[in-house]
Amino acid sequence: MANWVRFESEGAVRIGVLGGDNIAIHDGDIFANAAPTGETLALGDVTLLTPCVPGKFIALWNNSKSAAEKQGLDEPEYPLFFLKPSTTYLAPGGVIRKPDDYDGRVIYEAELGIVIGKTVSNVDAAAAADAIFGFTCVNDVTAMQLLGTDPTFPQWARAKGFDTFGAFGPAIVTDTDVSECAIRAELNGRERQNYLVSDLFMPPVDIVAHLSRSMTLEPGDLIACGTGPGALPMRPGATIDIIIDGIGTLSNTYED
């Protein structure tokens, strides 16, 4: 198991493996033969960035059994997904901002993130499993009241695509079994979401295999697996923590 991070130190962007409060610095590419330099830095002396820069950020909807039951939705036959633009990407500690021209609710959504490590297209489950580099925490932020503003076309891309609406990190954790992990959201320290990865209709391997039949997946691509019950609005000044067993805690604040 390794906790890969990407960070800024003295004006340079670098990568490394986080262990406790120290980072073992590596050269190269996280996804292609990164090599240790022998140097270390204290976590408190760097600024964490998103752990990768995805070429694609794919996010699923209606992939939670308990959320579907609560909303009266049927199990989908295939992943229902949308794409979030790169301008949504937000690092740990960053501020989620409400859009200037939107006065409605902005909600958090705690999700497991899959990070792809190999280029794959139209693969089976075994190859899909091999393509998964690791996992991270995701907050798939949504301007909820925009979804239904046009009755002829649900506004998924707009509602999910504002700047800062795609927080993820703090690390990509490799070689770990997430099948029984709990995914939690704490709003101002109060638990609001708590569901298991096993609550997902489609587990990570199946998601990757299915999506590879729709598009080529490439190293660094991020897939958010969909959220469970309990996603609620945030108020200005709120702190939202996404916590996944064995993966870490993604902490951000929300402001107008």
Side-chain angles (χ1 to χ4, degrees):
M1 179 188 294
N3 290 17
W4 285 97
V5 293
R6 184 171 152 269
F7 60 92
E8 183 176 350
S9 175
E10 297 182 346
V13 175
R14 308 195 72 178
I15 61 170
V17 174
L18 179 63
D21 293 327
N22 293 296
I23 300 170
I25 300 172
H26 285 57
D27 282 337
D29 186 331
I30 288 177
F31 306 107
N33 301 317
T37 66
E39 305 169 83
T40 61
L41 283 172
L43 178 60
D45 292 337
V46 308
T47 300
L48 287 180
L49 307 174
T50 58
C52 61
V53 183
K56 295 185 286 294
F57 186 160
I58 307 162
L60 270 65
W61 177 74
N62 189 25
N63 193 37
S64 161
K65 300 170 190 174
S66 53
E69 181 179 3
K70 186 174 182 179
Q71 298 174 53
L73 300 171
D74 294 329
E75 178 179 354
E77 295 182 9
Y78 189 89
L80 305 175
F81 65 91
F82 51 90
L83 300 176
K84 294 174 79 85
S86 60
T87 46
T88 64
Y89 302 170
L90 184 66
V95 179
I96 301 165
R97 301 268 180 200
K98 186 170 76 171
D100 290 339
D101 62 349
Y102 174 70
D103 292 324
R105 294 172 295 158
V106 174
I107 68 169
Y108 58 83
E109 296 182 19
E111 305 189 18
L112 175 69
I114 306 166
V115 180
I116 299 298
K118 295 181 178 180
T119 299
V120 288
S121 177
N122 197 26
V123 296
D124 61 14
D130 189 53
I132 296 174
F133 180 77
F135 299 92
T136 192
C137 304
V138 173
N139 188 352
D140 176 19
V141 182
T142 309
M144 197 66 186
Q145 286 162 265
L146 288 179
L147 281 173
T149 53
D150 187 326
T152 68
F153 188 80
Q155 298 289 299
W156 286 102
R158 185 180 176 208
K160 300 274 193 177
F162 288 103
D163 291 0
T164 74
F165 273 27
F168 64 100
I172 305 168
V173 181
T174 64
D175 302 313
T176 186
D177 181 5
V178 297
S179 59
E180 294 302 324
C181 285
I183 302 167
R184 296 185 289 125
E186 292 185 358
L187 185 63
N188 295 325
R190 182 176 179 183
E191 184 175 281
R192 292 297 193 175
Q193 287 188 286
N194 189 336
Y195 66 99
L196 298 175
V197 172
S198 57
D199 179 60
L200 300 176
F201 282 126
M202 297 179 195
V205 168
D206 290 352
I207 292 170
V208 172
H210 276 295
L211 290 178
S212 78
R213 296 166 198 156
S214 293
M215 66 188 79
T216 298
L217 300 175
E218 300 168 303
D221 284 350
L222 175 63
I223 304 167
C225 294
T227 198
L232 293 169
M234 299 176 288
R235 293 182 178 179
T239 296
I240 178 66
D241 296 324
I242 310 302
I243 306 159
I244 303 180
D245 295 343
I247 305 299
T249 298
L250 169 67
S251 185
N252 296 96
T253 55
Y254 172 69
E255 298 291 351
D256 281 342

